[in-house]
Amino acid sequence: MAAAMGSGQAAWAAEPQQTPDVTAANQQQQSGGLSDIIVTAQKRAEPLQNVPVSVSAFSNDTLQKARVDGLTGLRGLVPGMTVTRSGAAVDVPQISLRGISIQDVLPSVEPGIGITLDGIPIAFQRGALIDAFDVQRVEVLRGPQGVLNGKNTTGGSINVIRLRPDPSADTTGKARFTIGSFGQNDYEGYIMAPVVRDILAVKAAISVRKDNGQFRNIVDGGREGDRDVRQYTLAAVATPTDRLNIYLSFDRLENDSAIPPYVATPVPDLIAYSVPGYFGGMNSTCLNPATQIVCRPLSDFDKGKNEVETTQLPASLRLTAGTGEISYDLTDEVKFTSLTGYREFHERQTSDFDATRFALFRDKASVDAKQFSQEARFATSFSGPFNIVAGAFYMNYRYIEKQNPSLDAAVLPDTDVDGNVILTNGMPTFSTPPGVAFLNSLNRYRTFQTNKTFALFFQADYDITDQLRLTVGGRQTWDRKTTDYSLWAPVVSPTRDNDAIGPLVGQVTGRAKFKKFTPKVNLQYKFTPDILAYAQYSKGYNTGGFNGRPGNLVTAVQAYEPETMQAYEVGLKTELFNKRVRLNLSAFHNTLDDKQENVLQVVGTTNVATTLNVAKAQYKGFEAELAVAPMRGWTITGSLGYLDAKYKDFVGDLGQGTRDLSGLKLRRVPKWTAGAISDYSFGAGPGTVGLNAAIFHTSRYETDVLNDPRGSIPPVTKIDLGIRYELPITGATTIEVAGFVKNVTNNTTYDGYTSGDAVGTFIDFANPSIGRQWGVSLTARF
């Protein structure tokens, strides 16, 4: 490498200044070596190794061979990234990237990791576990992407690009049928065909995924967490002239799956947290003789079980989306692109948040949301030293959420006639059996919020020399938010009623405005055509807003301010030995100021829940990605990430008094992440055999804000294996039979943990992870 860096001469002008747009394929196979991957991470199509940004890119071929069916399958493939399925709602990913994580599925919480589908940003997380069957590629951009991808991308951006029909191509398609463990029964397929040759082509895709539930109920012996998802897509591409390309798509998602079940984790022990004076455990269910059967000592707490004892009710999610893209070549060197997106979803669900067999805390919720976005931009591809991408962006996002909890009085301590808690040996007593009395309409609320965003952005490249390029960019964002919050008081009843409406406590409204400029400066140097080094400074911006479920009228209209990320990064991208080895390295040092945290604050004489900018955090680490082609038909890819993330300052009240909380560990931040995939194919008879093996590892990390030991996820290593045989039938038609086993060692460590974070709470549960899965599939391609 050193010799190549010293002797090679690379010229920017020697490279094609405009790479053709990608349609049905995003890889150009190199003979005996690694494939060139074309990405659009910088709003123009260009080879991955020419992009001076930390990007992990996966083609449809790679995703299918590794049986990656959605975003959760990317675990271990991207350094510094963890992905699990949230237990709070259906089809919601819980993602952590470079220490920035999606912690809450509430629509008012705008996460610091962006997700785009065909260039359209997804404002809300519901329905974001995107089916990967007809995906062309997935690009994971690590680090702040505030210039070209906008706000709420301090951790990075996940860009999903789907297959598009090509008017100049022949009819192609794919169909797959899969059966497997837990009653898995999946049907997937798409077809792309020209309607008017060279003018118009269409695509139709369908995905139906079902199973009987991946978790066992130890009370009734049944299965929990059943899946029932249907997704439909219609798309068209029109090219009426050589300069004009129009893409339209319509999507419909129908999800009637059960909410992922919970494992109850109440303990009779008093747990001393790492924060002085803070304690947990000794749950109320353990102190009530009528419910203590669900309790177990902390010493017996075993995180290796995915058995549950409560039945989560089916949820209903209906999502409709439309995308329109118009690309027009104004000249051979200037392209105009318009992106229009619309998404609407309606969700209904009833959740059992105590996770016990007694259904102590049921919550009936509904969410209705809409978003409209419009982006217009210009991109140049001049042969000279200067090029630019510039444009404007607008989004209007609004939602209405309603929640109506019902609480069983069994979790409430006994009181005397004056309302004082009755103590025995200094501890509250519990004697109400479950099912006798309920507090219905407990903090029932309705939240209506709107968010309007407008932004102007640009990114310019200037070739200082044939080898040295300077890139500068910036984005100015304006946000306007409103909130309308209504709160009702509880009513006591001998029966549960999740439709009960108590007395109205009040209704309040609030408005807020935010604005932020996010710059970027990048300096890159090409030692040779295959070795590129870069250094970058960038700034990210997570917008402010209003807490969507404060439980009181005061902080419901108290806006919290934006948080900003200052990011520094250096990187090296290399391709060696005639494209048989690809090694990319990066190191970063990021600081998040004005970090938003959910805390308590004193209003008058009462502690009330709110979101405040009370913390500062630092993230630093390094990442490596390696791809090797030892021989024809065999590729090995691997990733390694090290992350040192910690609070630099955090003083607040997390429920047991104001303390210095800076010693806490950030949630969902493993110090080490690693993964590797090996895929080998060889001829066997008239067809081809393929062998795929993958291993993923994450070191220990926390999932509870107070680092409750029950939410500490131990080191996890999972192994997937797959085998396939593809047989040519006639022409381009092939048949493939495949078998796979996921999580071979049956590692069932929890995915997450939720706690009331106080002594005596009745909310303590974990999200179980899926154990070993097996399946066989039959695939036809034509």
Side-chain angles (χ1 to χ4, degrees):
M1 186 185 299
M5 292 171 65
S7 62
Q9 295 296 320
W12 294 109
E15 300 173 1
Q17 291 298 307
Q18 182 177 19
T19 303
D21 286 341
V22 181
T23 54
N26 73 314
Q27 292 186 324
Q28 181 181 4
Q29 183 67 37
Q30 303 297 317
S31 178
L34 296 166
S35 301
D36 281 340
I37 303 177
I38 304 299
V39 299
T40 53
Q42 298 194 112
K43 303 294 187 181
R44 68 179 75 202
E46 53 192 336
L48 171 67
Q49 294 302 100
N50 287 353
V51 180
V53 179
S54 294
V55 184
S56 300
F58 308 96
S59 69
N60 178 273
D61 184 63
T62 299
L63 297 174
Q64 294 301 308
K65 288 178 179 178
R67 306 295 302 200
V68 175
D69 297 325
L71 293 183
T72 54
L74 294 178
R75 75 211 186 287
L77 300 181
V78 180
M81 179 178 179
T82 64
V83 188
T84 58
R85 184 176 63 169
S86 171
V90 298
D91 265 353
V92 177
Q94 202 143 25
I95 305 173
S96 176
L97 187 57
R98 283 193 175 177
I100 305 298
S101 58
I102 297 176
Q103 302 285 3
D104 200 323
V105 301
L106 198 68
S108 64
V109 178
E110 298 190 48
I113 301 170
I115 300 177
T116 69
L117 180 61
D118 290 337
I120 304 300
I122 299 177
F124 41 83
Q125 302 164 50
R126 257 74 165 191
L129 282 178
I130 299 164
D131 194 322
F133 186 73
D134 69 333
V135 167
Q136 176 183 310
R137 70 182 180 278
V138 176
E139 303 170 3
V140 181
L141 287 64
R142 308 190 296 277
Q145 306 297 320
V147 173
L148 295 181
N149 288 276
K151 65 175 183 177
N152 304 327
T153 59
T154 52
S157 180
I158 301 174
N159 302 334
V160 180
I161 299 94
R162 294 181 296 181
L163 293 169
R164 296 186 180 185
D166 183 356
S168 62
D170 295 330
T171 299
T172 59
K174 185 176 178 180
R176 184 170 72 182
F177 168 57
T178 304
I179 60 172
S181 52
F182 311 117
Q184 179 181 357
N185 197 341
D186 297 347
Y187 304 86
E188 304 154 304
Y190 67 82
I191 183 171
M192 299 189 292
V195 177
V196 180
R197 175 67 67 171
D198 299 327
I199 300 295
L200 177 66
V202 296
K203 176 184 114 174
I206 182 172
S207 172
V208 178
R209 299 176 179 271
K210 295 185 178 184
D211 63 44
N212 299 328
Q214 299 155 333
F215 308 97
R216 188 173 75 89
N217 190 314
I218 61 175
V219 176
D220 62 17
R223 308 296 303 180
E224 302 294 343
D226 61 283
R227 182 183 56 164
D228 183 1
V229 185
R230 303 167 302 281
Q231 185 170 329
Y232 314 95
T233 299
L234 290 175
V237 170
T239 54
T241 71
D242 292 340
R243 293 185 177 276
L244 179 62
N245 185 291
I246 302 173
Y247 170 70
L248 299 173
S249 73
F250 171 82
D251 297 280
R252 173 71 173 178
L253 174 67
E254 300 175 352
N255 193 330
D256 293 311
S257 305
I259 299 172
Y262 309 141
V263 175
T265 59
V267 296
D269 308 86
L270 184 66
I271 302 173
Y273 292 146
S274 58
V275 177
Y278 267 55
F279 297 89
M282 203 171 288
N283 300 94
S284 62
T285 47
C286 303
L287 301 178
N288 190 332
T291 59
Q292 62 185 201
I293 189 176
V294 303
C295 197
R296 51 181 167 163
L298 184 63
S299 58
D300 295 339
F301 194 71
D302 180 9
K303 290 184 172 61
K305 301 296 183 183
N306 60 359
E307 298 172 334
V308 302
E309 60 176 58
T310 184
T311 297
Q312 290 285 14
L313 302 177
S316 173
L317 172 65
R318 298 293 183 267
L319 186 147
T320 303
T323 300
E325 178 181 314
I326 301 175
S327 297
Y328 186 71
D329 295 332
L330 299 174
T331 70
D332 292 340
E333 299 170 323
V334 180
K335 173 180 285 189
F336 169 78
T337 302
S338 170
L339 268 173
T340 306
Y342 177 81
R343 291 176 69 88
E344 176 180 346
F345 83 85
H346 306 276
E347 184 180 53
R348 305 291 182 266
Q349 66 181 48
T350 300
S351 302
D352 187 359
F353 282 121
D354 64 280
T356 72
R357 65 193 68 182
F358 300 109
L360 302 172
F361 186 40
R362 283 276 172 89
D363 180 39
K364 186 175 182 179
S366 67
V367 181
D368 299 280
K370 297 179 181 179
Q371 76 166 75
F372 170 81
S373 64
Q374 175 64 52
E375 179 175 313
R377 67 175 184 267
F378 293 87
T380 68
S381 55
F382 300 126
S383 58
F386 180 78
N387 278 288
I388 190 171
V389 175
F393 174 80
Y394 170 80
M395 176 180 282
N396 188 332
Y397 162 49
R398 59 183 59 205
Y399 82 91
I400 297 176
E401 181 183 31
K402 301 175 183 177
Q403 291 205 23
N404 195 353
S406 173
L407 180 67
D408 194 312
V411 299
L412 300 177
D414 300 330
T415 58
D416 57 26
V417 293
D418 296 323
N420 300 313
V421 175
I422 300 175
L423 302 177
T424 301
N425 297 325
M427 295 298 298
T429 61
F430 296 79
S431 61
T432 304
V436 173
F438 296 87
L439 270 69
N440 296 315
S441 183
L442 178 65
N443 286 337
R444 171 191 172 102
Y445 71 82
R446 172 191 175 275
T447 300
F448 172 52
Q449 293 195 2
T450 67
N451 175 23
K452 293 182 179 180
T453 298
F454 179 71
L456 297 173
F457 63 89
F458 80 95
Q459 180 169 297
D461 300 327
Y462 181 73
D463 297 339
I464 301 173
T465 70
D466 288 343
Q467 295 171 271
L468 183 64
R469 173 176 289 177
L470 174 66
T471 300
V472 295
R475 188 183 190 104
Q476 178 66 52
T477 304
W478 296 268
D479 285 326
R480 297 178 60 186
K481 290 198 170 187
T482 68
T483 187
D484 185 299
Y485 181 79
S486 300
L487 180 67
W488 287 265
V491 291
V492 179
S493 173
T495 59
R496 168 175 280 122
D497 184 1
N498 278 111
D499 293 312
I501 302 177
L504 178 66
V505 176
Q507 179 180 6
V508 291
T509 59
R511 293 176 174 81
K513 295 181 180 179
F514 313 105
K515 63 179 180 179
K516 187 68 65 175
F517 179 73
T518 51
K520 168 185 173 180
V521 179
N522 182 290
L523 192 64
Q524 52 187 294
Y525 187 81
K526 274 216 163 185
F527 295 96
T528 75
D530 296 326
I531 300 178
L532 178 149
Y534 66 90
Q536 176 174 284
Y537 165 77
S538 61
K539 190 173 184 179
Y541 156 61
N542 293 339
T543 187
F546 298 95
N547 191 316
R549 53 171 175 226
N552 68 90
L553 300 178
V554 176
T555 61
V557 293
Q558 176 179 286
Y560 53 88
E561 295 298 312
E563 53 186 16
T564 56
M565 176 79 84
Q566 306 279 351
Y568 300 86
E569 180 176 335
V570 294
L572 180 69
K573 293 193 168 186
T574 70
E575 280 190 324
L576 309 170
F577 308 113
N578 196 26
K579 292 186 180 292
R580 289 187 178 275
V581 176
R582 179 182 297 146
L583 176 63
N584 295 340
L585 305 172
S586 61
F588 58 91
H589 189 290
N590 304 339
T591 302
L592 185 63
D593 292 309
D594 299 319
K595 190 175 188 301
Q596 302 157 1
E597 297 284 354
N598 294 325
V599 295
L600 296 181
Q601 69 175 123
V602 178
V603 177
T605 59
T606 306
N607 283 331
V608 293
T610 187
T611 303
L612 296 175
N613 305 86
V614 293
K616 178 178 182 179
Q618 184 182 88
Y619 312 82
K620 55 185 178 180
F622 65 83
E623 299 161 344
E625 293 181 285
L626 175 68
V628 182
M631 55 188 294
R632 186 180 298 276
W634 188 14
T635 58
I636 302 172
T637 59
S639 70
L640 176 69
Y642 171 79
L643 177 61
D644 179 17
K646 57 188 177 183
Y647 286 108
K648 299 296 290 182
D649 183 38
F650 184 11
V651 176
D653 186 351
L654 290 179
Q656 301 180 49
T658 300
R659 300 284 192 279
D660 181 357
L661 306 170
S662 55
L664 290 172
K665 297 178 181 178
L666 290 159
R667 287 175 286 173
R668 298 190 175 276
V669 183
K671 190 174 289 291
W672 291 98
T673 58
I677 296 179
S678 170
D679 192 89
Y680 179 53
S681 59
F682 57 91
T688 303
V689 173
L691 304 175
N692 192 279
I695 183 169
F696 315 105
H697 175 79
T698 57
S699 60
R700 181 179 296 274
Y701 62 91
E702 306 297 327
T703 59
D704 178 66
V705 64
L706 282 173
N707 301 165
D708 190 308
R710 290 168 289 179
S712 182
I713 307 302
V716 175
T717 301
K718 294 186 178 183
I719 299 172
D720 296 347
L721 298 175
I723 184 171
R724 62 188 184 275
Y725 184 73
E726 187 171 22
L727 180 68
I729 302 300
T730 178
T733 302
T734 62
I735 297 293
E736 178 190 275
V737 178
F740 63 90
V741 181
K742 291 187 176 183
N743 193 4
V744 174
T745 58
N746 198 32
N747 190 316
T748 55
T749 302
Y750 296 146
D751 282 338
Y753 175 75
T754 300
S755 173
D757 289 321
V759 176
T761 181
F762 58 89
I763 299 180
D764 272 297
F765 62 83
N767 304 114
S769 64
I770 299 172
R772 183 187 298 114
Q773 296 174 274
W774 62 265
V776 294
S777 64
L778 177 65
T779 305
R781 300 179 180 89
F782 57 91

